[in-house]
Amino acid sequence: MSKKEKLLDKARRNPQGLKFGDFETLLKQCGWTFDHQRGSHQIWYSPGRYRLSVQNRKGMAKGYQVRQFLSQFEIENGDE
């Protein structure tokens, strides 16, 4: 199982328990591109040009943002 697959599995099982560093790694591994940061908000774009704003909340990713990513990942990639 690759690192990408492990992180996807971890995000699916517990979106609110994902460390922000792991979320950034997952975004990069899935081909998302970091665009810019304004204050605490980082803006990322999917390969299909979907825009996602993410925030680091005390070292953790916000669960709803992880779920938004997973939803868009499924739309763009189907079942992987």
Side-chain angles (χ1 to χ4, degrees), residues 3-74:
K3 184 173 187 170
K4 173 183 165 183
E5 291 167 336
K6 286 179 185 176
L7 285 174
L8 276 169
D9 184 53
K10 188 175 182 180
R12 287 177 178 132
R13 283 186 285 115
N14 188 9
Q16 65 274 13
L18 191 64
K19 292 182 181 173
F20 190 76
D22 287 343
F23 189 32
E24 286 181 305
T25 300
L26 180 59
L27 288 165
K28 291 175 193 170
Q29 293 276 328
C30 292
W32 288 56
T33 306
F34 173 76
D35 186 56
H36 67 277
Q37 182 166 347
R38 184 170 189 137
S40 64
H41 294 78
Q42 291 184 2
I43 306 301
W44 290 78
Y45 283 95
S46 74
R49 300 305 296 158
Y50 176 82
R51 180 183 180 272
L52 180 65
S53 175
V54 299
Q55 295 168 276
N56 184 342
R57 184 180 192 189
K58 298 180 182 177
M60 301 300 284
K62 291 188 174 185
Y64 78 93
Q65 293 170 345
V66 175
R67 287 188 293 275
Q68 286 175 337
F69 158 76
L70 290 170
S71 175
Q72 187 62 30
F73 180 80
E74 296 292 325

